[in-house]
Amino acid sequence: MLLCIDTGNTNSVFSIWDGDKFLSHWRISTDHRRTADEYFVWLQTMISLTHFDLDIDSCIISSTAPRVVFNLRVLCNRYFDTRPLVVGKPDCLLPAAPRVDQGTTVGPDRLVNTWAAHHRHGGDLIVVDFGTATTFDVAAADGAYVGGVIAPGVNLSLEALHMAAAALPHVDVTMPAQVVGTNTVACIQSGIFWGYIGLVQGIVDKIRAERGVPMKVIATGGLAPLFDQGFDLFDAIEDDLTVHGLRLIYDYNKEAGNV
């Protein structure tokens, strides 16, 4: 069985696959201080709740938090007796090499997401990921990552607003009843919600105009459904895009005899 680990700046997702069959996944906060032993105790507890006999014999990791990779490698080596593939490292092959400026390091999650979206939807794509940052990743017709856009994430913007203006409260991100707020909370919610609607629409339009080809827009990340309330921003929302892409990349390496 394959263990896919997607480590973001805020949360990490552990997903288990048996061939093409998805079995289960769990989420934990990302913390570079967490040891391999702590990961194993937590993961063993979660696995015991599934009532499956899970025999993990292979692992693949995508991490935007480099300091956690060491302990994840130790986890895979010590407890599952396997050397994990790490996306972005030279020994992890990609189905289509990224076409970016020489020397540029691309976030592993962005590489994984573009290939996963291409596998499911084909063609030229824009993948919008609502994470700690809001990223727009462009996939060419062959699924290769060819560049993108990075904007501040929704929650990051709210936190920055609160830090810069202490009198302004923390608010939940939600669609306001009207554009013009009549109290402070409503004003902030309107600015964040409609601001990001405009940001997504504007950047997507600019990318399409620059590329000059029809492009589908695929969204992922926890806040994606919030911004898809009748605005036709996205052609599809995929909540498991990264772990799906990790499985595809592992299978590609396996077929190539790389694992």
Side-chain angles (χ1 to χ4, degrees):
M1 292 181 182
L2 172 66
L3 172 63
C4 297
I5 305 174
D6 168 31
T7 299
N9 293 302
T10 305
N11 293 308
S12 299
V13 176
F14 289 65
S15 176
I16 294 182
W17 296 77
D18 185 8
D20 291 336
K21 183 180 179 182
F22 165 75
L23 296 181
S24 193
H25 76 273
W26 308 278
R27 186 178 300 267
I28 191 172
S29 61
T30 299
D31 185 350
H32 71 273
R33 298 168 299 180
R34 187 173 286 116
T35 66
D37 302 325
E38 289 174 309
Y39 276 120
F40 180 70
V41 170
W42 168 78
L43 188 58
Q44 188 180 46
T45 301
M46 302 310 295
I47 288 174
S48 69
L49 298 176
T50 66
H51 305 296
F52 290 119
D53 182 16
L54 302 181
D55 184 17
I56 296 169
D57 56 12
S58 51
C59 301
I60 184 169
I61 300 168
S62 168
S63 178
T64 58
R67 289 197 292 174
V68 307
V69 174
F70 174 78
N71 282 322
L72 291 174
R73 283 184 181 272
V74 174
L75 168 72
C76 298
N77 290 330
R78 178 181 298 166
Y79 290 105
F80 305 125
D81 194 26
T82 183
R83 182 174 179 269
L85 281 175
V86 180
V87 179
K89 299 299 183 183
D91 60 345
C92 182
L93 304 177
L94 296 175
R99 298 195 284 272
V100 295
D101 294 343
Q102 187 173 1
T104 299
T105 300
V106 182
D109 57 328
R110 306 178 77 181
L111 299 173
V112 173
N113 285 349
T114 50
W115 184 251
H118 180 267
H119 179 263
R120 284 182 169 172
H121 300 279
D124 294 90
L125 298 169
I126 303 168
V127 181
V128 184
D129 186 356
F130 293 92
T132 304
T134 300
T135 58
F136 299 75
D137 299 318
V138 179
D142 62 352
Y145 174 88
V146 295
V149 176
I150 301 176
V154 176
N155 289 315
L156 189 62
S157 295
L158 281 169
E159 185 65 26
L161 183 64
H162 175 71
M163 290 179 64
L168 296 179
H170 286 287
V171 301
D172 293 330
V173 184
T174 187
M175 181 179 176
Q178 56 193 35
V179 176
V180 179
T182 55
N183 57 71
T184 302
V185 169
C187 289
I188 296 174
Q189 289 175 332
S190 184
I192 290 294
F193 182 83
W194 294 112
Y196 271 85
I197 290 288
L199 182 145
V200 173
Q201 286 178 326
I203 291 179
V204 165
D205 288 347
K206 288 290 186 181
I207 292 173
R208 281 173 167 161
E210 186 171 278
R211 299 287 294 174
V213 294
M215 303 184 77
K216 294 179 182 177
V217 181
I218 311 302
T220 190
L223 290 176
L226 173 66
F227 296 101
D228 189 47
Q229 302 185 58
F231 301 105
D232 294 324
L233 291 178
F234 313 123
D235 294 285
I237 295 177
E238 303 280 4
D239 60 1
D240 64 342
L241 202 58
T242 308
V243 292
H244 175 66
L246 284 172
R247 182 187 64 81
L248 293 174
I249 291 173
Y250 180 84
D251 289 347
Y252 177 80
N253 279 265
K254 186 175 181 179
E255 291 169 6
N258 195 41
V259 291

